[in-house]
Amino acid sequence: MNSVEFKNISKVYGKRTLLESVSFAIGSGTFSVILGAPGCGKSVILRLLTGLEKPSGGEVFMRGVNVTRMSPGDRNIGYTPQSFALYPHYKVRENIGYPLKLIGAPKEEIDSVVKQTSELLQISHLLEKTPNQLSGGEKQRVAIARGIAKKTDIFIFDDPLNGLDFKLREQLFDDLRTMQETLQATFIYTTSDPIEAMILAQKIFILDAGKIIENGDLETVYNQPQNLRTAILLGFPKNNVFEGVLEKNSKGVTCKTKLFSFPVKLNNHALPENSDVAITVRPQGLKLNSQPSGKFVSLKANITLVEDLGGEMVIHMDANGNTLMSVERHENFDQQEGEVEIGISNKNLMLFDTKTAQRIGQGAE
């Protein structure tokens, strides 16, 4: 059992609260990603997990054992920091094996682990080189190899691919997924990049302003976010957001925005005290110059920019001062400028209370 759990963890520096009563559990053998904007507290969580920091309140459990006051060396975890932090005077072989050397592992064991991890990350040919002879991607592979060289079943990664170009990151995504599946270990990975999170995560944890606001299976959290910040943070391109007001009438509840109106299905079938709402719809939910199936709303907008991503295009538009984005495939759309008709299925319109940020319903079909 290689589970990890936070119970009501708080971290305060002076008058500044970095984490506020954070509770979550990470199951054994999962690839879990903590996603949040820079400065939201991701690195603080990892420092508490590694034992480099002590919490101001609450408890940390690993493998069912309370490790809150346990020293970093006794927690038996692998850790890859954000920076490479390689020893410049050591060869790659020595850098990878250094954590095992620190605990006095015999040379035969160190050599065996270095061989295994270097093969896993395809860097065996680099073992006799020094860091100044490596590219940025190679250095990152060495840093990850050193992080997993320890014989353990829990590995922690602090935004390790930050700063690398996307092609290198794509290669390392595959390496990390393969490692996790091969080792059957618990991987805890932090990032502020939603693409990274969606590529890697089995389980995702959304961290915002020192609080875990939502967590669960990636597919569920992505398709049915229960918090407005989750809807905004998770996804690429970002969700389109509208302001609206709920009104009750003889036919039920209607949401009115400056651009369109639509019938609403509320989760608890009661109009919230605050009738101001935020409406989100993913760029993939906007259909340009075509009608979606079922009940839908329509509006007009002007194209302001077309970004070509290869197989797809991101269409930027302006609708009476509202900035909107749509994702279209080349074979379905070839317009580069001018006015477009937008259709949005009611079921793709998600509603959130502006005061609590909680999901309260969606468009009625």
Side-chain angles (χ1 to χ4, degrees):
M1 185 174 101
N2 48 347
S3 60
V4 174
E5 187 174 4
F6 263 29
K7 288 188 178 179
N8 298 315
I9 290 290
S10 296
K11 183 63 181 178
V12 179
Y13 284 116
K15 294 183 178 179
R16 187 182 175 201
T17 300
L18 300 181
L19 297 176
E20 185 177 346
S21 193
V22 171
S23 295
F24 63 86
I26 292 175
S28 300
T30 60
F31 201 130
S32 295
V33 175
I34 300 173
L35 172 67
C40 71
K42 300 187 298 296
S43 292
V44 178
I45 283 181
L46 295 195
R47 290 178 67 82
L48 291 169
L49 286 173
T50 58
L52 297 173
E53 299 269 2
K54 295 293 186 287
S56 304
E59 297 173 310
V60 180
F61 290 81
M62 290 182 176
R63 309 176 185 90
V65 175
N66 190 332
V67 299
T68 311
R69 303 299 165 189
M70 192 178 288
S71 68
D74 293 330
R75 296 193 182 196
N76 190 25
I77 57 175
Y79 176 54
T80 301
Q82 190 175 95
S83 60
F84 302 142
L86 301 178
Y87 295 105
H89 55 293
Y90 281 178
K91 293 180 179 179
V92 166
R93 178 187 302 280
E94 296 165 316
N95 267 287
I96 295 174
Y98 189 72
L100 294 173
K101 184 179 179 181
L102 275 180
I103 61 174
K107 183 178 184 302
E108 295 77 13
E109 180 184 338
I110 295 175
D111 290 344
S112 174
V113 172
V114 168
K115 181 177 184 295
Q116 180 185 5
T117 54
S118 62
E119 287 176 353
L120 196 60
L121 280 157
Q122 301 175 43
I123 54 173
S124 299
H125 61 293
L126 303 176
L127 291 178
E128 301 306 319
K129 293 188 175 184
T130 54
N132 67 341
Q133 297 174 296
L134 307 179
S135 68
E138 289 169 341
K139 288 178 183 177
Q140 194 61 67
R141 286 174 187 268
V142 174
I144 292 171
R146 184 181 58 189
I148 67 167
K150 208 168 181 182
K151 281 193 173 180
T152 183
D153 51 7
I154 297 175
F155 296 93
I156 294 171
F157 302 86
D158 188 1
D159 204 359
L161 309 186
N162 184 35
L164 298 181
D165 66 60
F166 192 75
K167 187 174 182 180
L168 283 173
R169 288 161 63 200
E170 275 189 310
Q171 294 171 359
L172 287 167
F173 292 155
D174 291 337
D175 292 337
L176 286 166
R177 283 190 303 238
T178 299
M179 282 191 298
Q180 195 273 327
E181 291 168 4
T182 301
L183 299 171
Q184 289 295 294
T186 298
F187 275 30
I188 303 170
Y189 185 105
T190 67
T191 181
S192 56
D193 187 330
I195 297 178
E196 263 186 37
M198 290 188 292
I199 289 173
L200 293 172
Q202 293 173 331
K203 303 285 185 180
I204 192 158
F205 297 77
I206 309 297
L207 184 66
D208 185 53
K211 296 180 180 180
I212 296 288
I213 58 173
E214 193 164 353
N215 70 86
D217 294 336
L218 175 63
E219 185 176 354
T220 301
V221 175
Y222 176 83
N223 289 319
Q224 297 296 334
Q226 298 303 306
N227 188 285
L228 178 60
R229 287 293 296 161
T230 300
I232 291 172
L233 285 169
L234 185 60
F236 178 85
K238 288 186 176 181
N239 258 329
N240 297 292
V241 182
F242 305 91
E243 294 178 352
V245 177
L246 297 183
E247 294 182 358
K248 194 170 185 178
N249 54 43
S250 59
K251 295 182 179 180
V253 179
T254 298
C255 181
K256 290 187 176 182
T257 76
K258 292 180 180 179
L259 300 173
F260 54 85
S261 298
F262 61 99
V264 168
K265 179 182 178 183
L266 295 175
N267 292 342
N268 61 7
H269 306 290
L271 195 68
E273 291 183 18
N274 170 42
S275 62
D276 292 330
V277 294
I279 305 103
T280 69
V281 59
R282 296 202 178 279
Q284 294 81 356
L286 273 61
K287 301 300 179 185
L288 304 189
N289 297 334
S290 63
Q291 294 184 352
S293 59
K295 294 183 178 179
F296 65 93
V297 300
S298 62
L299 61 149
K300 294 182 186 296
N302 289 299
I303 295 175
T304 57
L305 176 67
V306 176
E307 290 184 274
D308 195 332
L309 303 182
E312 295 180 329
M313 298 178 293
V314 178
I315 315 297
H316 297 252
M317 297 162 286
D318 176 81
N320 291 334
N322 290 268
T323 300
L324 305 177
M325 283 189 288
S326 173
V327 174
E328 299 287 336
R329 297 197 64 80
H330 279 279
E331 59 267 27
N332 298 333
F333 189 82
D334 59 5
Q335 189 174 337
Q336 297 291 313
E337 58 184 16
E339 188 177 74
V340 290
E341 185 85 25
I342 302 173
I344 306 173
S345 294
N346 286 5
K347 63 182 179 181
N348 290 332
L349 295 163
M350 295 180 282
L351 275 73
F352 300 85
D353 188 309
T354 54
K355 285 186 177 178
T356 65
Q358 294 303 303
R359 174 87 172 265
I360 59 172
Q362 67 185 58
E365 297 183 58

